[in-house]
Amino acid sequence: MRTDVDIVVVGGGPAGSMAAQFAAREGASVLLLEKDREIGIPVRCAEGISKIGLTSHFEPKPEWITRNIKGLMLYPPSGKKINVSSNQVGYILDRKRFDYDLAQMAAAQGADIQTRAYVHDLVWQNDTVDGVRVRLPSRDLTIRCKIVIGADGVESRVGRWAGIDTRARLKDIETCMQATVSGIDIDPDLIHFFFSQKGAPGGYTWIFPKGEDSANIGLGISGEHARHHSAYEHLKFFLDEQFPHASVLTWVAGAVPCSKPLVELVKNRVMLVGDAAHQVNPLSGGGISAALYAGKIAGMTAGQAVRSKDLSHQRLSQYEKQWREKNEKRMNRYYRLKEFIYTINDDEFERIADSVLKKPTQKRTIVNVFKAALITKPSLIIDMIKVFT
Amino acid sequence: MKQIHHIRDRCDYCGACVSVCPPDAIDLTEHTLTILDTCTLCKNCVIICPLQALEVRDEN
């Protein structure tokens, strides 16, 4: 293992592997350090991505796609089904396979990858980062580098060590539980969303099909509503009620940052990407596509900075500038939309559902669902105006 | 003295606790979790944990 490189990437998820790949493409020497023993495992993800979110980065390989999704079904608290027409089709990925391939693509460009390598601190020289301290199974090691890219997920500490405040408020973290189940009867061509402040307060429950009779079934609840019942308890209740005979093949816990964008993404030669940078759609909790994009441009920026021997803050901040121009406004808008949706109580959800159900199926679009929400709860018009201004 | 106690059999090492810890007092690897002595007992980690794997306990 090299102990002196241009760029260290911490974390081997999609953001980290993309950063490593694109930095290496620019000719930089790159070392990616992953704390777990294997890239892609465990899969802490519902695995859904919009078609455009994937195809804007790659020609998707067939083995990455577990399921093609053709539409969505919404369920108000009573469980009535609302089939919503959508041209936003998507995929359910095989994240294990996908992450593995992304890491291989980074390696193919010349990046070194090391698993079971836990980065536990940064090394400083004056006010800039000069390397990382890594704990391997056999020993502790110092790796010298010019730039650190923190792709260390929701549990990111790299940013904090660099002086970036990545702490999230309880209300801005969705605490999640997911079961991969088999032996269920659902429409496997749709993704299913259940809204109920009792069932998933400050969040929602999802069913993302993986096969004809299997799916990822999970939920996220806002941290501020997790005091009395945990995500696990909420999911157990949902499964017992909806799918009492399903076999659970995997349980996985997780957390998703659903906040406004961080104030800083680059500091002291440290760059943050993906969940570590809270680059997640705060309304849906989806973050794969955002991670691919951020990893790519952060990697390119870092690689080019090394090549041009300009490691100034201004140079590295080009990543942040580019990211904000494309995403900041939209993320803030989604954040306000999230706040607005979570003021809707279960009775109001029900009335919105009834109003939408009166429309013919082809007119049931997401926009019309929002229109129904406004008619049902006129006080929300003010909130909506805030969202779109 | 009150301390945060980690229940290993429940923990999935997902990192939810780390994300809401104000003093950065949790060290998490693939299969270990350590509460550092900078912990201020704010209980954010206890609340956020999807599996109730963290509890406040009186340790003597």
Side-chain angles (χ1 to χ4, degrees), chain A residues 74-336:
Chain A
L74 305 181
Y75 301 80
S78 66
K80 284 173 194 157
K81 290 182 172 185
I82 308 175
N83 196 336
V84 178
S85 32
S86 169
N87 39 19
Q88 263 279 24
V89 288
Y91 305 114
I92 306 302
L93 293 173
D94 178 344
R95 270 292 302 274
K96 183 182 161 188
R97 188 66 199 260
F98 182 64
D99 285 27
Y100 223 85
D101 276 7
L102 289 184
Q104 281 182 334
M105 285 153 80
Q109 292 295 330
D112 279 357
I113 298 174
Q114 186 77 39
T115 58
R116 298 190 78 176
Y118 176 60
V119 172
H120 60 92
D121 209 353
L122 299 175
V123 180
W124 295 85
Q125 176 138 49
N126 303 322
D127 283 338
T128 49
V129 165
D130 190 45
V132 299
R133 291 198 206 286
V134 57
R135 193 173 300 144
L136 302 171
S138 53
R139 64 201 160 124
D140 262 37
L141 209 60
T142 297
I143 311 280
R144 301 268 321 270
C145 66
K146 301 184 177 96
I147 298 168
V148 174
I149 299 181
D152 50 337
V154 65
E155 67 269 45
S156 176
R157 298 174 71 199
V158 167
R160 293 208 223 182
W161 296 330
I164 300 174
D165 189 3
T166 60
R167 281 174 303 177
R169 294 179 297 178
L170 275 178
K171 66 175 277 202
D172 286 338
I173 291 282
E174 291 285 309
T175 163
C176 301
M177 200 68 211
Q178 178 172 275
T180 303
V181 305
S182 215
I184 54 166
D185 183 18
I186 43 140
D187 185 333
D189 296 323
L190 305 176
I191 47 174
H192 307 257
F193 295 101
F194 297 75
F195 296 93
S196 154
Q197 292 298 356
K198 189 163 162 276
Y204 62 86
T205 304
W206 64 80
I207 300 179
F208 283 10
K210 299 198 78 170
E212 292 294 327
D213 68 346
S214 63
N216 289 331
I217 303 183
L219 54 76
I221 62 178
S222 165
E224 67 174 344
H225 295 299
R227 278 189 170 78
H228 302 298
H229 295 288
S230 65
Y232 175 77
E233 288 175 308
H234 279 282
L235 182 59
K236 197 86 179 65
F237 185 81
F238 179 83
L239 289 174
D240 287 346
E241 198 179 65
Q242 301 282 332
F243 303 104
H245 305 296
S247 298
V248 177
L249 307 187
T250 312
W251 286 109
V252 69
V256 182
C258 292
S259 68
K260 289 181 187 174
L262 290 182
V263 179
E264 296 174 292
L265 301 177
V266 178
K267 195 168 191 172
N268 300 323
R269 289 197 200 158
V270 170
M271 306 162 85
L272 294 183
V273 290
D275 281 11
H278 297 195
Q279 288 162 334
V280 172
N281 176 333
L283 179 62
S284 70
I288 304 169
S289 172
L292 295 172
Y293 173 75
K296 184 171 166 177
I297 59 171
M300 282 171 76
T301 306
Q304 288 164 6
V306 167
R307 202 176 54 192
S308 63
K309 296 191 171 62
D310 175 6
L311 301 170
S312 65
H313 181 74
Q314 198 188 2
R315 181 75 185 84
L316 298 182
S317 292
Q318 283 173 8
Y319 149 64
E320 178 166 343
K321 190 163 165 273
Q322 202 179 336
W323 185 84
R324 286 194 194 281
E325 273 166 16
K326 188 163 186 273
N327 296 288
E328 188 160 44
K329 210 168 162 185
R330 201 159 40 102
M331 257 188 83
N332 280 320
R333 189 172 284 182
Y334 281 128
Y335 185 82
R336 290 196 292 261

